[in-house]
Amino acid sequence: MKLLVTGGCGFIGSHVIDALILDGHEVINLDALTYAADPANNAAVAGSPRYRFVHGNICDAALVADLVNEVDVVVNFAAETHVDRSLHDPVPFVRTDVEGVAVLLEAVRRRPGLRLVHMSTDEVFGSLPPGVEADVNRPFAPASPYAASKAAAELLIAAYRHTYGLPITVIRACNLYGPRQHPEKFIPLFITQALRREPMPLYGDGLQEREWLYIDDFVDAFRRVLAAPDGGPLVVHVASGERLPNRRIAELICGLTGAPLSLIHPVADRPGHDRRYALDASTARALGWAPKVPLEEGLARTVEWYRVHGRSRLEREEYRRWFVAQYAERLGAGKGGESG
Ligand code: DAU
């Protein structure tokens, strides 16, 4: 198979590309190289004659129209993904996560037979009451600009499916974690802070619940979606069932890194913070998928990776600026002083 993978220099995209090359496919990686990308993520495949990197943006309609002529499948991982950044500056999220998807959809519409697989998120459903799991038909209720931009993209996709009968699969995943994730995200942030014995900024009361899946298990689910007969299901929920409060994750990270629990530092909460996500993953299980890496093992592997690789990422200037803007004041406000 020949695939155009967008956002392939990021966390999820790079792991999927590694698997695709291993499986014998040809891959074009279209990536805009924003702050979240790292070409080093593609080191394992860079020398393969079946891998090609193209520097460019999914909003560039002429470039996308050109590239889709070369492939059988388009896989979209290109996105602005960090909720906190979407609270500071939502417009780039609308540009990439909505307009970019519109550009991909137009390119797919003009090339009959081309398949699109699009990466979405459990956040389209907003916060769920205790005990509830979102099935694939649950109505959307996004609560952050990031989540709203992902929901908007999904509405466009549904309209294109309905109007033009396009073969599009949407994968909604829970929180993924593992090697190569940008340290702005919760688990790599807490691991890198713990390894340096620096405070770990826990938002609010730390009892918000997320569902965590190790990246290799996501890649396994993705392979099954790609191999599913007749284009596979329209929507697949990929999630582990391992739902824990953030504070518990922070404690596990302290245990794995030897950092004292006193480094867990409650800070002012994220505005509009969703309390709880939970997906009903029966659509992924129907493809024969089940997660294999338990949380503590996945966390241990992730800690090891950041022990070796974490530093170079932290030393990037953009990340330093982000860290100061996001945390300096909150952390300086005194232990526990601001928690919600
Ligand atoms: O649920 C899937 C989504 O998971 C993806 O669609 C998003 O792209 C991805 O960013 C992630 O969103 P979250 O907001 O759940 O992830 P984040 O790593 O930012 O935060 C996870 C939890 O940890 C959340 O409840 C907020 C909390 N948190 C996060 C940060 C960065 C803290 O307590 N302190 C922090 O410094």
Side-chain angles (χ1 to χ4, degrees), residues 81-84 121-123 146 173-175 184-186 189-190 201-203 208 210 212 246 270 273 277 327:
T81 63
H82 193 36
V83 172
D84 290 318
T121 169
D122 56 7
E123 299 199 15
Y146 160 71
C174 65
N175 282 62
E184 68 189 358
K185 303 292 193 319
F186 177 60
L189 172 67
F190 273 43
L202 188 69
Y203 293 162
Q208 307 82 4
R210 294 290 183 271
W212 294 100
N246 294 335
R270 170 187 282 175
H273 198 170
Y277 302 138
Y327 297 107

Side-chain angles (χ1 to χ4, degrees), residues 136-158:
V136 291
N137 298 315
R138 189 179 175 88
F140 294 168
S144 72
Y146 160 71
S149 73
K150 295 300 281 186
E154 280 215 46
L155 291 177
L156 258 182
I157 286 170

Side-chain angles (χ1 to χ4, degrees), residues 58-59 76 93-109 116 118 120 124 140 147-168 170 172:
I58 57 167
C59 293
N76 184 36
F93 288 71
V94 178
R95 203 170 291 131
T96 303
D97 301 2
V98 186
E99 186 187 332
V101 170
V103 168
L104 293 178
L105 286 168
E106 273 304 278
V108 171
R109 179 164 82 89
L116 174 63
H118 171 77
S120 191
V124 295
F140 294 168
S149 73
K150 295 300 281 186
E154 280 215 46
L155 291 177
L156 258 182
I157 286 170
Y160 268 69
R161 266 201 215 111
H162 176 80
T163 309
Y164 307 113
L166 297 186
I168 307 169
V170 169
R172 297 189 194 121

Side-chain angles (χ1 to χ4, degrees), residues 21 44 65 79 94 110 118 124 133 140 147 196 213 241 243 249 264 316 321:
I21 294 293
V94 178
R110 285 166 205 286
H118 171 77
V124 295
E133 288 186 335
F140 294 168
R196 296 188 311 165
L213 181 71
R243 299 168 190 146
I249 298 280
I264 300 174
R316 281 210 214 157
R321 280 200 303 273

Side-chain angles (χ1 to χ4, degrees), residues 27-28 46 49-50 72 94 107 135 156 191 211 222 228 273 279 302:
V27 174
I28 302 173
R50 287 180 285 105
D72 318 298
V94 178
D135 67 29
L156 258 182
I191 289 175
E211 184 169 6
F222 176 86
H273 198 170
L279 289 179
T302 308

